[in-house]
Amino acid sequence: MHIKNVIDTVVAHYENAKTRTRTLMLLGPSGVGKSDAVRAAAEELRKRYGQFDVIDLRLSQFDPVDFRGVPSVVDARTTWNVPVFFPQEGTRGIIFLDEITSAPQAVQAVAYQLTNDRRVGEYVLPEGWMVMAAGNRMSDRGVTFNLAAPLLNRMTVIEVHSSLEDFVDYCVDKGVAAPIIAFLKTFPQYLNERDEKINVDCQKLPVGKPFATQRAWTTGATHYLDYPSESRIELLSGSIGERATADFEAFLRIWETMPSVELIFSDKNGSVPVPTQKEKNGLATLYAISVAIALRVDGKTFGTVLPYLERMPKEFRTLVVKMAFRRDRSISTCDAFHKWMKDNADILRIN
């Protein structure tokens, strides 16, 4: 399941009182966006219910006793003090058992009761709360343990996969640097090198070395683009790996030498050339130009840039319009956009 669908699934799962009591488990490669999906779903639920929290418990950092609480002796009887991280009655949210596959079997065993019975010892989870878990697969070659069969049977497991289109939408919404978006459109295998569904050579990646993931692009690589070339290469290699860095650096040379976006927007007589896919680096240049236009065009300039768009291959025209509409929906109010939509109704569907 793609991340965008995961968010909708989590929201629907919570809103159904019956399914809310069933733990959802997100299983997938590192850096695919599992934790972000849980937080995005919580943000949507916060809009509907007001206060809505996420209690993030990294199971790999817990000992079994941490869940039961510290014991006290009261009237010659032993009781356990409920850990402060457990929610109280009258609140809503998600208890998120992250890194569950990195937790030893003894810690996983503590989660049995919480995931199935919604309780730990004498503590009972309030009705407004749902339990979720997330972890990596054994094939991801991280610090992982097999999920115990009783625990696995207590959860609904969703396998999460990378989605280039979902990630591009995320980048547009969050203002991620345009060269990164354009590069990943050109080389989608670097979206997440550990995801075998988009990178067939994932098992050939060296163990213990950095590799490209969605998380690495947004939390690491995006911050190094303005560094001097030598330090940038070192820092990128330490964030997204040597393979992705080599191709990304070559792509940045294309980005720097592509036709000026300013000239494209002011091109009234068709003098700015449109690259072809047959020429050297033509595909990469087309993606670079498309993303650059999409992240700048608005309702006032759409008619100005339209003559250039009409000379681009159909799939790139569509890419520009869809990305531009995603970034700024007010673009749909201009006459030129309406005309373009009418003329291209057979190839474009915007949602």
Side-chain angles (χ1 to χ4, degrees):
M1 184 181 290
H2 292 162
I3 286 295
K4 187 176 182 179
N5 302 114
V6 168
I7 297 170
D8 295 336
T9 299
V10 172
V11 171
H13 204 267
Y14 178 87
E15 295 212 291
N16 185 322
K18 294 181 179 179
T19 58
R20 187 186 305 165
T21 61
R22 175 78 175 179
T23 298
L24 282 180
M25 163 71 177
L26 305 181
L27 187 66
S30 176
V32 74
K34 299 183 293 295
S35 301
D36 283 345
V38 173
R39 295 187 181 90
E43 183 60 35
E44 179 59 35
L45 289 164
R46 194 171 293 122
K47 296 175 185 176
R48 305 182 188 191
Y49 295 102
Q51 181 181 5
F52 193 95
D53 300 318
V54 176
I55 298 177
D56 189 336
L57 304 179
R58 305 296 172 107
L59 288 195
S60 59
Q61 301 172 17
F62 279 78
D63 288 323
V65 70
D66 293 334
F67 278 87
R68 190 70 184 267
V70 178
S72 297
V73 178
V74 179
D75 297 330
R77 300 182 66 180
T78 301
T79 62
W80 278 264
N81 298 290
V82 176
V84 68
F85 52 75
F86 280 140
Q88 303 301 309
E89 288 290 345
T91 58
R92 290 180 178 272
I94 294 172
I95 287 188
F96 185 35
L97 307 178
D98 204 358
E99 301 176 0
I100 192 170
T101 52
S102 298
Q105 298 280 338
V107 179
Q108 290 184 18
V110 178
Y112 292 1
Q113 196 176 22
L114 183 60
T115 56
N116 193 52
D117 300 327
R118 295 172 58 82
R119 65 185 301 153
V120 177
E122 297 176 357
Y123 171 80
V124 178
L125 190 66
E127 291 183 1
W129 285 78
M130 181 170 76
V131 180
M132 289 195 63
N136 301 131
R137 308 159 303 179
M138 292 292 290
S139 60
D140 296 320
R141 295 190 284 183
V143 180
T144 57
F145 299 89
N146 281 321
L147 278 179
L151 178 58
L152 193 62
N153 191 242
R154 285 167 162 80
M155 302 186 293
T156 297
V157 179
I158 298 176
E159 291 200 32
V160 183
H161 308 297
S162 301
S163 167
L164 179 59
E165 296 309 313
D166 288 351
F167 187 63
V168 167
D169 287 346
Y170 173 87
C171 290
V172 171
D173 291 342
K174 300 297 182 181
V176 174
I180 290 177
I181 302 174
F183 174 74
L184 292 176
K185 291 292 290 184
T186 312
F187 299 97
Q189 68 270 27
Y190 290 125
L191 174 65
N192 194 324
E193 286 188 285
R194 288 288 187 205
D195 191 337
E196 67 277 0
K197 291 188 178 296
I198 61 172
N199 180 22
V200 295
D201 294 326
C202 66
Q203 295 302 323
K204 297 179 181 179
L205 293 173
V207 177
K209 295 285 188 178
F211 56 95
T213 67
Q214 294 163 220
R215 179 171 57 213
W217 284 112
T218 57
T219 62
T222 189
H223 303 301
Y224 303 136
L225 296 183
D226 295 330
Y227 277 60
S229 180
E230 286 188 9
S231 18
R232 180 177 67 204
I233 291 174
E234 292 295 328
L235 291 167
L236 286 174
S237 296
S239 297
I240 57 175
E242 295 179 355
R243 292 173 16 134
T245 296
D247 284 339
F248 187 46
E249 277 293 315
F251 183 84
L252 289 176
R253 304 285 79 77
I254 296 172
W255 182 270
E256 292 166 358
T257 58
M258 73 179 186
S260 165
V261 178
E262 286 74 18
L263 288 178
I264 291 173
F265 273 81
S266 61
D267 184 22
K268 297 181 179 179
N269 54 14
S271 59
V272 180
V274 176
T276 66
Q277 299 185 51
K278 293 182 178 180
E279 63 189 75
K280 183 180 179 181
N281 298 323
L283 182 65
T285 307
L286 280 168
Y287 274 119
I289 292 173
S290 298
V291 171
I293 293 174
L295 295 183
R296 175 171 171 172
V297 69
D298 55 26
K300 295 180 180 179
T301 57
F302 186 82
T304 305
V305 79
L306 188 56
Y308 187 88
L309 291 181
E310 295 291 3
R311 292 191 286 129
M312 296 179 72
K314 180 166 53 177
E315 62 270 29
F316 292 94
R317 295 200 304 267
T318 305
L319 171 64
V320 170
V321 176
K322 292 186 73 171
M323 283 188 62
F325 180 77
R326 173 81 187 188
R327 178 184 59 84
D328 179 11
R329 294 192 175 238
S330 67
I331 196 174
S332 62
T333 61
C334 74
D335 293 338
F337 184 89
H338 280 292
K339 183 179 184 304
W340 193 92
M341 285 286 290
K342 182 178 179 181
D343 294 342
N344 295 272
D346 59 321
I347 64 169
L348 183 64
R349 181 179 168 184
I350 294 180
N351 25 23

